[in-house]
Amino acid sequence: MTNHWIDLANSDCILAMGSNPVKNHPISFKWMMKAVDRGATLISVDPRYTRTSAKAHLYAPLRSGSDIAFLGGMIRYILENNLYFEEYVREYTNAPFLINPDFQLTAENDGIFSGFIGTKTDEGYVDGKYDKTSWSYQKDANGAVLKDPTLKNKNCVFQLLKKHYSRYTPEVVSQVTGTPLDKLMPVYEAYSKTGRPDKSGTVMYAMGWTQHTVGTQNIRAMCIIQLLLGNMGMAGGGVNALRGESNVQGSTDHGLLYHILPGYLKTPKASQQNYADYVTASTPVSSDPMSANWWQNYPKYSASLLREFFGPEVPLADAYTLLPKMEDADNYSWLMIFDKLYQNKISGLLAWGQNPACSGANANKTRQAMTNLDWLVNVNLFDNETGSFWKGPGMDPEKIKTEVFMLPCAVSFEKEGSLSNSGRWMQWRYKASEPPGDARSDADIMSDLFCQIRKLYQKKGGAFPDPILKLKWNYGPEEDNGRLRHIDPHRVAKEINGYFLEDKIIGGKQYNKGTLVPSFLLLQDDGSTSSGNWLYCNSYTEEGNMAARRNKSDPSRIGLYSGWAWSWPLNRRIIYNRASVDKNGKPWAPEKPVIEWHLNVWRGDVPDGPWPPLSKGEKSRHPFIMLPEGLGKIFGPGLADGPFPEHYEPLESPLEKNPLSPQFVNPALKRYDRGGDGDQMNLRASFNPKFPFVCTTYRLGEHWQTGVMTRWTPWLAELEPAMFVEIGEVLAKELGISNGETVIVESARGALEAVAIVTIRWEPFTVMGKTIHQVGVPWHYGWATTAERNYHAKDKKPEIFTFGDTSNLLTPNIGDANTMIPESKCFMVNVKKKA
Amino acid sequence: MDNMAIYIDISKCTACRSCQVACKNWNQLKAEQTQNRGSHENPPDLSVQTWNRIRWIENHKNGKISWTFFSDRCRHCDPPDCKYIADTFVEGAVIKDSSGAVLFTEKIKDIDPDEILSACPYNIPRFDEATRMFFKCSFCSDRIPYGLPPACVKACSTGALNFGEKAKMLQLARDRIKQLANDAVLYPGEEYNTFWVLPDKGLLQSI
């Protein structure tokens, strides 16, 4: 989230799209209601009428996979009706920037942007990537970007945007999305009203936007809307991702994903063999003196991270050589890992706090892939479909060689530490009870594993022992053998914050060796400071553990609660907040000011940098400090699949053609289904009469993730005991399916038994003149807790049985062009009566 | 803690069912082996093990869908019909305590269960053959003396469930009815220690 949960209460219009917060983020509704009590409009856009829809003022249905058409239409509506916040767009975004005249929009280039490298087949362009040379700004001889503040130049971003979305008329959008015009237009009207300077609108999105082959572009489309309406940086504004786990924000911040190190630093590539090359490639340069270009500090953060990993004895350049490097062209995301496993190129797997046999798209492939493993370590609270994959449906244990180890671990309440919520709040929590039996905290398991591996390297050497042998491991009290007695979460939190490694005088102030660094402004690129994550530097200082603060006062009156816990960065509660004020530092919305320039200082939230407001000239800085431009990107050349979002059909679509483009699907996808006829594990069925219905997946409030925790909790299992498929009344009648009947849902990749819930809440769509039916399935189930499976003598039986297996048996293993998140929110199925 | 009330504003209920689980948790009621019967509603009925249950009401009126959620439970009538009937057989089998709770005592075992079942206009109490006892919402009368709200109220995150002095709760309900305007009504009425605000009087047919 750019903002935070409580801030929802400040909004004038809340758009819940690609999410169902009332059900899946129930506490958020408390703050949404406060906004509604103040007069805010609540909008729900969803393929089916959800519990959020039930509470919304406006509900608009849309066919899964057509969000960009819907949002593109809103962009057009805002531009055509001059509803954008002109001063904000002109001063705070790249709308006036002139773009390379060689750049071509999709409409003038066969459905793709200029620079495409790939092949054209009978289904359009495939397997491609873009050469982004033409996706660039025009610059003068000194490297300064050419701009047209009148926004009239035909090559300026604003005019290109207008041209690109001119095709997205309400009529066309309605045809593509299936949203009736009388439901579409009120949404555009209501949301566009937040373009008034003193109004703000916010979006709450979740996996309903990300799990698409155009997932990143869905969010980009909304970013463009928020910039046009001047909603970024504002109280009650922003772009707000609702995280699906209590600490998904924290784990992402700390480098869970393969392409980033902690603090969103970049994972080194094989071509960057020395530290200087890596730093140069990672540090952006700006020729604009008014751009803070915050990432120019990259070398300070990377040096401090290397210090935290390897300590002060290893010179930075040497420490860098110890980091793993990625092959330049390779990708190490989930789908790729399981594809490699399927191809027998990986022999061991640590499945840690997860359940891939149920959680991964195309579960049949995932489960089959696991049979290639020599060993599998399952670290979890309970045995699950992953640890027991070898005795799952269709498996013959006699033929499976995998040795499985189960390591029971502690649940969150059985260990101390911090969680970072969607709103970037790092909140400390305490241990409520000891873990049962042999269960231990993940950190302790990991520490023992590390110490054991280090011992082996010490004894036996190996190909490249230094990364292990030189790693600093000082996170708890040490025993004589070098093993840690246990991990101390406070030591970890302090290491994440970082230390001065030498006595240092900065800005005339003395900082002593061994003290905690008070803020990332003081991190150094010379190796004199350490920090496990620069974004969290300031969270645990000599003044104490900021995350443990529990001050309930709110002098801000907009719900910042700045003395409660701690928020990255630097306890800033609303990021990009310099965009919430005009050039003189006066809030656009005086009733809900985030920051304000008052008597030559900023007051309110922690501002995005200390510089004075823009009217002070060169001493000031543009508001979007993390971007080299300093300005919000309406033209976003950073993405793999286009600087403007374009509607492409999902990989599996009910349509034969893309109504908006000659190009059918996103051309920049990594495709698995093009391997040839012999490949039975990567099947795709688009516009195929065997699979006529669009299907989507969603969560239940009663279950969590793959249900490993909740299916074993009797009070929750009794509430939602079975895999179901929600079917509209019209379709159910056509298929002769009655409510409560067990049916088969089938995709090109697998089949699933489910109980039919026949409902008025799912109405058919009219798309391009054709009736399209959509159905939906939850994802939390798995065979391990069913009554029908074989229970061996030692197998624990659940107190309450559930019915059905994971919906990932149906989902496609195709990922977004930027993130590789699977397209689990939109694929084609058939629904039939159980024979 | 005299004459207290639970006030339920169903316009704020999202059917998160925290109240349903909190009830089972505090009262240590067993989970039931349920089936999905084509609905999200479960367990299928109030029972010896289920004293509070959310009912899901789907409606389609004038091209508009609505979806409301009703927490079904003892109304703690004032005066209670069940007590009136029970008193004619055994004094003290049903009591109305000072907090407003309607409670069944051991003496109820001496009364023909059908008499109690037919006495309740809302079909709430459930009879347990094994113990010969009746079970239903207890108003968490084991929490109230300690200044604790009923478990369901404590668990509610949206403000749908409220607990306090009856006069205050009635005032909140009246204010909410004014705020919701049009068709909002108080259900079942004022002579109860548990009452609801329904945003649409049309819902009366579904309850």
Side-chain angles (χ1 to χ4, degrees), chain A residues 522-584:
Chain A
L522 297 161
L523 293 176
Q524 304 294 315
D525 61 5
D526 59 1
S528 58
T529 55
S530 71
S531 174
N533 187 334
W534 71 276
L535 270 180
Y536 281 76
C537 187
N538 182 237
S539 64
Y540 207 128
T541 68
E542 292 298 325
E543 285 165 33
N545 181 358
M546 299 294 141
R549 295 185 305 171
R550 292 294 181 267
N551 184 331
K552 290 190 202 167
S553 65
D554 180 34
S556 76
R557 288 174 293 129
I558 57 164
L560 297 181
Y561 292 96
S562 302
W564 179 277
W566 180 88
S567 173
W568 69 254
L570 301 178
N571 206 29
R572 186 173 300 142
R573 304 281 156 150
I574 296 179
I575 55 182
Y576 308 125
N577 56 29
R578 294 179 78 87
S580 72
V581 295
D582 66 15
K583 282 183 148 184
N584 295 313

Side-chain angles (χ1 to χ4, degrees), chain A residues 425-443:
Chain A
W425 291 15
M426 177 196 186
Q427 302 190 85
W428 201 259
R429 59 169 168 68
Y430 302 89
K431 185 194 260 191
S433 63
E434 291 298 326
D438 294 335
R440 303 173 67 206
S441 86
D442 298 292

Side-chain angles (χ1 to χ4, degrees), chain A residues 383 388 391 712 789-797:
Chain A
D383 180 34
S388 288
K391 53 183 172 182
W712 290 100
R789 63 165 277 207
N790 276 334
Y791 286 92
H792 300 285
K794 282 187 178 170
D795 291 339
K796 188 176 161 68
K797 279 190 185 179

Side-chain angles (χ1 to χ4, degrees), chain A residues 100-263:
Chain A
N100 188 333
D102 294 341
F103 172 70
Q104 283 178 299
L105 293 165
T106 52
E108 55 210 22
N109 193 41
D110 205 16
I112 53 175
F113 294 96
S114 51
F116 187 78
I117 306 164
T119 41
K120 190 170 184 182
T121 67
D122 52 3
E123 58 162 308
Y125 295 93
V126 291
D127 300 335
K129 59 176 190 178
Y130 281 101
D131 169 356
K132 298 183 187 173
T133 313
S134 65
W135 306 5
S136 54
Y137 303 136
Q138 295 183 33
K139 291 182 178 171
D140 68 14
N142 301 321
V145 175
L146 300 179
K147 299 173 193 174
D148 174 19
T150 70
L151 307 177
K152 287 190 178 130
N153 187 305
K154 73 177 172 58
N155 283 323
C156 83
V157 168
F158 188 80
Q159 290 301 327
L160 290 170
L161 181 79
K162 212 167 177 176
K163 194 169 164 191
H164 183 62
Y165 291 107
S166 63
R167 295 174 291 136
Y168 291 62
T169 62
E171 294 70 26
V172 168
V173 169
S174 174
Q175 286 278 305
V176 175
T177 58
T179 312
L181 275 173
D182 64 349
K183 301 242 165 79
L184 181 72
M185 299 316 288
V187 174
Y188 287 178
E189 282 161 30
Y191 200 78
S192 302
K193 280 186 188 156
T194 65
R196 264 179 51 179
D198 60 341
K199 298 286 178 194
S200 55
T202 188
V203 61
M204 302 172 77
Y205 78 89
M207 297 301 179
W209 266 0
T210 56
Q211 289 178 344
H212 292 276
T213 42
V214 291
T216 314
Q217 295 285 9
N218 282 335
I219 293 136
R220 267 281 299 150
M222 194 66 209
C223 293
I224 292 174
I225 290 171
Q226 291 298 68
L227 288 172
L228 289 174
L229 297 173
N231 283 333
M232 297 308 294
M234 302 284 287
V239 173
N240 294 305
L242 316 180
R243 304 304 207 148
E245 287 216 38
S246 51
N247 200 23
V248 118
Q249 182 65 51
S251 57
T252 315
D253 296 341
H254 291 297
L256 177 84
L257 301 172
Y258 77 91
H259 68 297
I260 43 177
L261 297 175

Side-chain angles (χ1 to χ4, degrees), chain A residues 28-49:
Chain A
S28 70
F29 184 56
K30 182 165 147 179
W31 307 108
M32 292 158 79
M33 272 194 305
K34 285 190 195 291
V36 169
D37 286 346
R38 283 180 43 253
T41 308
L42 175 57
I43 304 173
S44 161
V45 180
D46 199 290
R48 81 199 148 120
Y49 186 94

Side-chain angles (χ1 to χ4, degrees), chain B residues 100-150:
Chain B
V102 175
L103 301 168
F104 297 159
T105 71
E106 291 270 320
K107 292 180 186 167
I108 207 157
K109 292 179 182 176
D110 301 332
I111 303 177
D112 175 358
D114 286 343
E115 295 290 347
I116 301 296
L117 287 173
S118 58
C120 178
Y122 304 104
N123 183 25
I124 297 298
R126 293 294 181 266
F127 181 64
D128 179 31
E129 288 285 351
T131 58
R132 308 281 306 157
M133 283 293 287
F134 277 95
F135 293 90
K136 66 164 191 70
C137 164
S138 68
F139 215 57
C140 277
S141 59
D142 49 353
R143 288 172 61 93
I144 293 170
Y146 301 96
L148 300 171

